[in-house]
Amino acid sequence: MSPRVRPGWALRVLVVLWGLMAAVTAVLLAAGLPAMAAGVVALGAGLAVGWPMAAREAARRDG
């Protein structure tokens, strides 16, 4: 991790993404989706939210 990345921001992003992925997985498992499919969808949701957040942070950091 680059020393210019704000540690508080990185921790907040991890917690938010883990929470999102856990919630998506729980809902899909409760709906009867197989565990592997629920995990893949949750990973996709994490990437869909996390990638833009990381891009904004990189743009802020690099100016």
Side-chain angles (χ1 to χ4, degrees):
M1 182 165 59
S2 170
R4 296 185 296 176
V5 173
R6 297 175 290 174
W9 179 87
L11 180 61
R12 185 174 56 230
V13 167
L14 284 176
V15 169
V16 167
L17 291 179
W18 286 338
L20 169 73
M21 292 169 64
V24 167
T25 302
V27 167
L28 293 176
L29 289 175
L33 200 64
M36 183 63 76
V40 169
V41 171
L43 180 61
L47 286 173
V49 172
W51 196 278
M53 290 173 72
R56 279 193 305 270
E57 174 66 9
R60 184 209 60 83
R61 185 180 67 224
D62 297 338

